[in-house]
Amino acid sequence: MQVNVQRVAGVQTTVYHILIAISVGHLLNDSMQAVIPALFPILEKSMNLSYTEIGWIAFALNMTSSVMQPIVGYFTDKTPSPYFLPLGMAASLLGMCGLAFASSFLLVLLSVLLVGLGSAIFHPEGSRVAYLAAGAKRGFAQSIYQVGGNTGNALAPVFTALVFVPFGQFGAIWFTGVAAIGIVLLSVVSRWYSLRLTGAKALAKKKRNQKMHQKTLFALLLLIFLVFARSWYSAGIANYYQFYLIETYHLSIKEAQSYLFTFMLAGVIGTFFGGPLSDRIGKRNVILLSMLGASPFALVLPHLSLPWVLPIIFLAGFILSLSFSTLVIYAQELLPGKIGTASGLIVGLAFGMGAIGSVVLGKVADLYSLTFLMSACSFLPLLGLFTWMLPKDGELKQQ
């Protein structure tokens, strides 16, 4: 049985084709999530929405996935459910149909809730597949998996410029095809996953019986706080920076998307390099480097002349995203045998704090100004100073 457990858990072998497949599935899933912010400029004009109402749409999307992901993760840690992967994609398909035909703010919210639910169902089991296929390359595997999701999110400005500006809200109907492809792909991955459940369950049960130390609980709460700060900054850029560009530099909706896409693309590249870098220099060091390294660029971004915006926003996005996959790996090592719960807490609950940020930041923009909002957001990466209080990698393994 021990040999089987090692083989199933992927201790010795990295299963590259499964990593690539689950990464593509992640891309398709998060592409549909990206449709929501891509629609913001269109809905703001067609439905005369306030920034606060836009924040509520972002809240509906992110809060659904953030609240549900830890719950789904906790359930699937005890009862792994391979076919949750295509099921989540099916929920997003229904959400895309709803968005294409929604005629009111309420119907938009209901459609967005379906997309958020689909994401909540997909992510914990997707992260578990990446873990099982990783072998000894945990950082590398998590980066490959997260790069798929970040690439999907990065496409939001492209969707705005190429789909929703010319076709309007109805352009969401095209993404039902994306969901259909995802259902087929993830059904294949689910079959691979289901064949490996016996050994995976045995290993996970053994690890789950380990008690959580007080230091571990403190480290987990601190980790969630760090992701909270990172998420609020990302929410400010992803949801409101395009409006800041339009208002401050008098750009068109289409022109503003290139700057937002640069930030998102830099995030994809940073995510790809961050995981392998954590395998080399340590997870805690990468988290610290990421947040403090991005701070100078975040601080100057709201005060630049337009020619400087592209290179600075690229550097801010690249450095900040070095920690994206590393935060997930760190949480998984804090909670051995609870891969779904760890993924749900970081990718779901903690990153979903950006949902609350979207509403609060939208209210700040309405009450004060977009300039004030962007300046306030620029200080958030400085909270990365608290990374010093996290256990070092060597101490983490001893807990």
Side-chain angles (χ1 to χ4, degrees), residues 244 247 361 363-374:
Y244 176 77
E247 179 182 289
L361 297 177
K363 192 66 175 178
V364 169
D366 283 333
L367 290 176
Y368 299 97
S369 67
L370 285 168
T371 299
F372 178 84
L373 172 64
M374 289 297 111

Side-chain angles (χ1 to χ4, degrees), residues 163-191:
V163 179
F164 297 117
V165 168
F167 298 106
Q169 181 182 336
F170 185 71
I173 200 68
W174 293 102
F175 293 90
T176 58
V178 172
I181 294 170
I183 290 171
V184 174
L185 174 66
L186 292 176
S187 295
V188 174
V189 173
S190 295
R191 283 196 290 272

Side-chain angles (χ1 to χ4, degrees), residues 23 31 42 62 70 85 88 170 215 233 236 241 259 264 276 287 296 315 325 346 356 360 365-366 392-393:
S23 180
S31 291
I42 308 302
N62 294 320
L85 293 168
F170 185 71
K215 288 183 179 180
Y233 180 74
Y241 190 65
Y259 295 85
M264 300 291 193
I287 296 169
L315 289 171
S325 57
I346 300 304
I356 300 173
V360 174
D366 283 333
K392 296 179 181 179
D393 286 34

Side-chain angles (χ1 to χ4, degrees), residues 81-91 121-122 179 182-184 186-187 190:
S81 307
Y83 290 96
F84 269 25
L85 293 168
L87 179 63
M89 197 66 69
I121 293 172
F122 167 83
I183 290 171
V184 174
L186 292 176
S187 295
S190 295

Side-chain angles (χ1 to χ4, degrees), residues 5-15 131-137:
V5 167
Q6 288 183 338
R7 178 181 64 81
V8 171
V11 173
Q12 297 175 336
T13 304
T14 302
V15 189
Y131 182 89
L132 291 173
K137 300 179 179 179

Side-chain angles (χ1 to χ4, degrees), residues 259-313:
Y259 295 85
L260 189 57
F261 179 68
T262 298
F263 179 79
M264 300 291 193
L265 179 63
V268 173
I269 300 171
T271 299
F272 179 77
F273 285 104
L277 185 62
S278 71
D279 287 336
R280 290 180 174 270
I281 70 172
K283 292 173 284 297
R284 179 175 175 269
N285 291 337
V286 168
I287 296 169
L288 184 64
L289 169 67
S290 173
M291 295 196 68
L292 292 188
S295 294
F297 303 105
L299 288 168
V300 301
L301 183 61
H303 312 290
L304 298 170
S305 58
L306 189 60
W308 283 100
V309 171
L310 274 178
I312 296 302
I313 202 171

Side-chain angles (χ1 to χ4, degrees), residues 266 270 289-294 297 314-323:
L289 169 67
S290 173
M291 295 196 68
L292 292 188
F297 303 105
F314 178 87
L315 289 171
F318 173 79
I319 298 172
L320 190 66
S321 292
L322 288 172
S323 62

